[in-house]
Amino acid sequence: MGYVFQEHETVSAGVKRIALEQLDKVVQCTKSGEKNRDEAIHDARVSLKKLRALLRLVEVKSNAHVLTQERVCYRNAARRMSEVRDTTAIIEAFDKLTKHYADQLAPDALSELRKPFLRTQKRQQGNKSKALADVARMLKSARQRVNNWAIEDDGFVVLRSGFKRVYRKGRATMVRAQSKPSVENLHEWRKRVKDLGYQIRLLRPIWEGMLDALANEFEKLADYLSHDHDLALLRQRMVQNPSDGRTPVKTVVAMIDQRREELQVEAKRLGIRLYAEKPSALVRRIEVYWRAWCLEE
């Protein structure tokens, strides 16, 4: 039924249905064949991020520790996937960088610099298979636990505090990242942007056109920050493995720094717009949309 709350569905039922759908997707990814491991890891990570965003949205008055334990379970699974994802992300960042500066580079000018990353990626194929198997094992009983989640209340009251908290954290991490744009601060902002973007998609049916557009803008912001983070990883690897004299490492590092500066400027511009509202004002507005949507049913 999709990653959205549905009409004629209680919030409790919707949360459990969405969680089960995403868990099924992760498990399906872990069964992927050898040729699709990178794609499977990417898709599994997306579903795990959606699961974690869902649980950050839900506020329960009793048995809160149950959902906390689930959050820990999904976090550990996501970290296991991330351990084998970095090299693929670095190669993708390298390719985007060379494409961005294609008019300034001779064809294949940086091909020698790319080869070590490809060799590392090839060596890691076995690790990827093990990571997928580990995640399948971590989530083996997770599906059975979903129906035991105690979500007594219904309606927007279940979602209000979580939505406000994630938006407020995103606003705070944006300010921190803009005042001190370290790799860690920018990455933390990116995670909060991802959370809110997924949560807005969950609420999309309450005002489809408007929330579709808003979710797309948060996705664009997350893309800026994700590409910036991948370039930071690439830079780190380049500095750790200095040139043998035949390849222009310093030139690539300069290109990375310039491109990261461009991405951070775009992220700042868009972030200021997206986080312009105070948390309480945004939550009140979303709740009005929710109530109007319920009246339409």
Side-chain angles (χ1 to χ4, degrees):
M1 294 176 71
Y3 190 74
V4 292
F5 290 110
Q6 300 284 348
E7 290 182 317
H8 311 298
E9 179 181 54
T10 66
V11 171
S12 176
V15 167
K16 293 175 182 180
R17 171 186 58 78
I18 292 164
L20 290 171
E21 288 174 356
Q22 295 306 314
L23 280 168
D24 287 345
K25 287 184 178 181
V26 176
V27 171
Q28 188 60 41
C29 288
T30 66
K31 299 176 181 177
S32 174
E34 289 190 6
K35 293 183 179 179
N36 300 313
R37 278 177 292 201
D38 286 325
E39 184 179 343
I41 287 171
H42 173 269
D43 291 346
R45 291 179 74 235
V46 168
S47 288
L48 286 166
K49 287 174 185 176
K50 288 182 175 181
L51 273 165
R52 297 175 72 192
L54 172 68
L55 291 192
R56 288 190 178 107
L57 183 62
V58 179
E59 189 81 13
V60 295
K61 294 180 180 178
S62 62
N63 297 320
H65 67 283
V66 173
L67 293 189
T68 299
Q69 290 172 350
E70 297 301 324
R71 292 186 187 104
V72 171
C73 174
Y74 302 152
R75 181 197 66 196
N76 291 342
R79 285 179 177 175
R80 185 68 184 92
M81 290 289 189
S82 296
E83 292 171 5
V84 294
R85 166 67 183 162
D86 280 357
T87 300
T88 298
I90 286 170
I91 292 171
E92 291 172 358
F94 190 99
D95 292 344
K96 287 179 182 178
L97 185 73
T98 53
K99 184 178 180 180
H100 185 75
Y101 290 106
D103 59 340
Q104 301 176 33
L105 296 168
D108 299 322
L110 306 179
S111 59
E112 288 301 314
L113 285 176
R114 190 174 183 271
K115 287 180 180 178
F117 299 125
L118 292 174
R119 288 194 291 268
T120 300
Q121 185 185 46
K122 187 175 181 179
R123 287 197 302 269
Q124 289 180 338
Q125 292 306 308
N127 294 338
K128 291 175 183 178
S129 295
K130 188 175 186 306
L132 289 165
D134 288 346
V135 168
R137 188 164 51 253
M138 288 179 188
L139 300 180
K140 186 175 181 180
S141 60
R143 199 182 196 284
Q144 298 172 359
R145 296 194 300 266
V146 170
N147 287 327
N148 295 327
W149 293 355
I151 305 173
E152 301 90 350
D153 293 322
D154 194 25
F156 194 76
V157 65
V158 183
L159 314 176
R160 185 191 297 122
S161 296
F163 189 80
K164 184 176 182 180
R165 181 171 56 252
V166 169
Y167 180 79
R168 185 174 60 240
K169 282 186 177 180
R171 216 166 177 243
T173 54
M174 176 186 72
V175 172
R176 193 178 306 122
Q178 292 179 0
S179 63
K180 186 181 179 182
S182 65
V183 174
E184 294 77 14
N185 286 344
L186 287 161
H187 186 48
E188 189 63 28
W189 182 25
R190 170 188 171 267
K191 290 190 287 186
R192 302 291 76 81
V193 168
K194 280 278 190 182
D195 279 344
L196 193 64
Y198 287 135
Q199 290 175 353
I200 291 169
R201 292 207 180 276
L202 285 167
L203 298 169
R204 187 175 61 85
I206 69 177
W207 193 346
E208 215 161 300
M210 195 279 288
L211 290 183
D212 259 341
L214 185 60
N216 288 339
E217 290 302 301
F218 271 99
E219 186 175 349
K220 184 190 298 184
L221 176 56
D223 285 345
Y224 289 146
L225 295 170
S226 295
H227 190 27
D228 173 80
H229 183 68
D230 292 343
L231 285 171
L233 293 178
L234 173 62
R235 189 188 196 282
Q236 185 181 46
R237 294 283 185 90
M238 299 289 282
V239 171
Q240 288 173 348
N241 299 283
S243 172
D244 59 7
R246 294 178 297 171
T247 47
V249 171
K250 288 184 179 179
T251 300
V252 176
V253 169
M255 290 162 54
I256 291 171
D257 291 343
Q258 181 179 333
R259 183 60 182 141
R260 287 193 66 208
E261 184 176 345
E262 294 168 357
L263 290 164
Q264 289 172 34
V265 167
E266 291 301 319
K268 181 177 181 178
R269 287 172 178 164
L270 185 53
I272 288 171
R273 295 188 186 107
L274 292 176
Y275 287 98
E277 269 185 287
K278 291 184 177 180
S280 295
L282 176 65
V283 171
R284 283 196 298 270
R285 184 160 63 88
I286 296 296
E287 187 163 8
V288 169
Y289 301 161
W290 179 280
R291 289 177 178 173
W293 178 58
C294 291
L295 289 174
E296 291 171 3
E297 294 182 11

